[in-house]
Each structure stands twice: as structure tokens, then as C-alpha cells.
Amino acid sequence: MTLGPTNLNLNKACAAVALSPAARAVHRWVLRVFAETGRAPSRADLERKAREHTATSGVDHGAVVAELVDRDVLAVDERGEIRAAYPFSPAPTRHRVTWESGTTVDAMCAVDALGMSAMLGVPVTITSTEPGNDHTVTVHVDRDTARWEPNTAVVFAGQAGDACCPSVDSTCGHINFFTTPDAAHDWAARNPGITGVVLDQDQALAGGIAEFGALLQETGDE
């Protein structure tokens, strides 16, 4: 991950574009399942879908899953079950996202949550908590516009450990909403092992859209 004072690059958009056609189709299927059910597909279902997209190509279905993991658009545990399908988290996080259909999901991080409306094409409501005190931040996002409560809220985008690790391990837990810039700076000062920057509302929303907004666009591969 590359962090700068005015930009955020989590590399998910670039990674998705670089996927093979079969991997790209499986990736979008995983995201759609998550959006429709609020849950990750099982390992068995993931492997079945990968087989469907490699049945006539001679490519081993395991290579498709490995490609998704290598590109870090998915992360799996030691059993092969999905533990991250950015922007969605199978496990509870600080960042709950809801929309009109009644679906509720957890986002991997604050920026992931902010990108969901553009990706899904529907307005969403994000309810999150500030690290250290659990003060609530709510953001109503309609694609490229957002209303923040409180209106002083920001995002701290941080990283701990090796940047080459999967995002679920190195960054996701450290990209959070804060009620004010001062609260974000104070938290960062108390956690010197985490490096990062404070993003204002426009920067954080733009980062989410850039990373996730195009992930479900059809390209004829499916």
C-alpha cells in the first residue's frame, strides 16, 4: 500500500484489472454473492465456481483461486475459507454497511466501506466506531457524494508490519473513521507502530471509489 498526504492506493483496482478472464469472473461472482447474502461463499462453492470457468480451458481450478489470493483481491485462511473479499469482511468489523434491500455487511476498513455505494450502484449507510473510545461515525453515501455525521469526521489510513503482507493483515485494521482530525492525530501519536496519514472526507471517498467503484462492471467474461 502506498500512502501519501493527498492520495490513497490500496491497489485493489489495479489488481482486479490484471486478473485473467476466469479469475475476474470468479472474483465478481464472490462480490455479488456477498452483496446479495451478506456472507462469503464457502470454500466448496468457490472451488465449484472456479471449475465452471475453467472446464473448457484446461486450466486447473486451483490456479484461479491461487491467482485471486496472489493478487490479494481475496484472502483465505488455512482451510481455504474466505477471510477477506475486499471491500467485504466475513467477520464483524467496526464498519457496518446497510442499504435499502435490507442487506447488512461488514467492510474490511473505512475506505472499503466508502467505496461500496459506487461499486453496488445504490445508496448505503455506514455506521462505524472510533478506535479507543467507540464514538460513532455515520456516513450516508450515494455513489460519489456523502453526508458525514459528525461533519468533522475524517479517516486515518494506516499500516503496520510488512506492506507485502495481505491487506487483511497489514492495513485493514488500521484504516478507520475518527470524529475529528485531532482525534485521529491523537490516536496515531499513541500508536507509533502504525504509520499513515489523515484523509479528509473528499480524499477518503475518492479513494474508496477509485479502488472499488469499477469492480462489478461487466466486461463479457462471465
Side-chain angles (χ1 to χ4, degrees), residues 126-140:
I126 303 163
T127 304
S128 188
T129 55
E130 181 177 286
N133 55 38
D134 290 339
H135 291 166
T136 299
V137 175
T138 303
V139 190
H140 305 278

Side-chain angles (χ1 to χ4, degrees), residues 44-56:
D45 286 340
L46 176 62
E47 292 179 347
R48 175 185 56 78
K49 180 59 67 170
R51 286 191 187 94
E52 289 179 8
H53 286 282
T54 57
T56 61

Side-chain angles (χ1 to χ4, degrees), residues 5 39 42 68 76 99 103 107 128 135 144 155 173 195 202 208-209 212 220:
R39 299 186 301 274
S42 67
L68 295 171
V76 299
W99 54 92
T103 302
S128 188
H135 291 166
D144 62 351
V155 169
T195 59
D202 290 342
I209 294 170
F212 302 105

Side-chain angles (χ1 to χ4, degrees), residues 36-149:
E36 292 167 3
T37 68
R39 299 186 301 274
S42 67
R43 171 185 175 178
D45 286 340
L46 176 62
E47 292 179 347
R48 175 185 56 78
K49 180 59 67 170
R51 286 191 187 94
E52 289 179 8
H53 286 282
T54 57
T56 61
S57 66
V59 177
D60 178 70
H61 74 276
V64 170
V65 177
E67 181 182 355
L68 295 171
V69 173
D70 289 345
R71 293 284 186 186
D72 195 26
V73 297
L74 296 184
V76 299
D77 63 18
E78 64 279 0
R79 299 169 299 162
E81 300 291 346
I82 293 173
R83 64 188 184 111
Y86 318 97
F88 300 116
S89 172
T93 69
R94 291 183 177 276
H95 321 291
R96 299 284 280 169
V97 185
T98 61
W99 54 92
E100 193 171 280
S101 68
T103 302
T104 299
V105 298
D106 287 272
M108 293 300 301
C109 73
V111 169
D112 290 41
L114 289 167
M116 281 192 194
S117 178
M119 184 182 80
L120 299 171
V122 297
V124 307
T125 297
I126 303 163
T127 304
S128 188
T129 55
E130 181 177 286
N133 55 38
D134 290 339
H135 291 166
T136 299
V137 175
T138 303
V139 190
H140 305 278
V141 187
D142 189 353
R143 299 165 179 84
D144 62 351
T145 63
R147 177 167 52 87
W148 298 59
E149 302 169 2

